[in-house]
Amino acid sequence: RVAITAGARFAIEKQQLLHQCEMMKIEIGQKTSQIKDLRAQHHAEVDELEERVKSLQNTNQVMNLKLSSAINEHKRELAASQEENRTYIAQLKKEKSTDCDSALIPLL
């Protein structure tokens, strides 16, 4: 059996610790690179989602304007239809009263 001196043991432990440090530096570099990649992906996804939100907001605004326009057009058409109906009913009443008056004249 070979006897290891304290100095040799210290040198071996030092080399092992240096090797472990180098391995940890490599691992930290890899993890840092992964973190940067994930961060970049995250920012890209956030940008894409923000663009989609803006697009949907614009679409929503356009659709609201179209809906409002359609409602206003429907209100105008309804008002015109109601006015036509009132005119028609007044005309019918007038004709009915004229018919009634003309029917009464021969009886007199």
Side-chain angles (χ1 to χ4, degrees):
R1 185 173 137 153
V2 178
I4 300 177
T5 64
R9 186 177 307 139
F10 177 78
I12 292 171
E13 287 177 4
K14 181 179 175 183
Q15 285 300 318
Q16 288 174 340
L17 289 173
L18 288 173
H19 177 70
Q20 288 175 350
C21 281
E22 288 301 314
M23 294 301 291
M24 287 184 170
K25 285 180 184 179
I26 292 170
E27 187 177 343
I28 288 171
Q30 291 172 342
K31 298 290 183 187
T32 301
S33 178
Q34 289 175 345
I35 289 170
K36 286 180 183 178
D37 290 344
L38 290 172
R39 186 175 290 143
Q41 287 175 357
H42 173 73
H43 286 297
E45 289 173 3
V46 167
D47 290 343
E48 182 181 330
L49 290 173
E50 285 175 348
E51 287 178 28
R52 286 179 60 194
V53 165
K54 286 179 185 177
S55 175
L56 290 172
Q57 286 173 335
N58 290 338
T59 301
N60 186 32
Q61 188 176 18
V62 167
M63 294 190 76
N64 280 335
L65 290 172
K66 285 182 179 180
L67 178 61
S68 178
S69 176
I71 288 171
N72 289 334
E73 180 63 25
H74 179 68
K75 285 180 180 178
R76 284 191 293 275
E77 289 173 0
L78 182 60
S81 177
Q82 287 174 338
E83 185 58 35
E84 286 176 18
N85 288 339
R86 280 192 281 276
T87 303
Y88 179 70
I89 289 171
Q91 183 181 355
L92 287 177
K93 284 181 180 179
K94 184 178 179 182
E95 287 176 8
K96 184 177 180 184
S97 106
T98 305
D99 289 345
C100 286
D101 290 344
S102 62
L104 291 175
I105 292 174
L107 295 175
L108 295 174

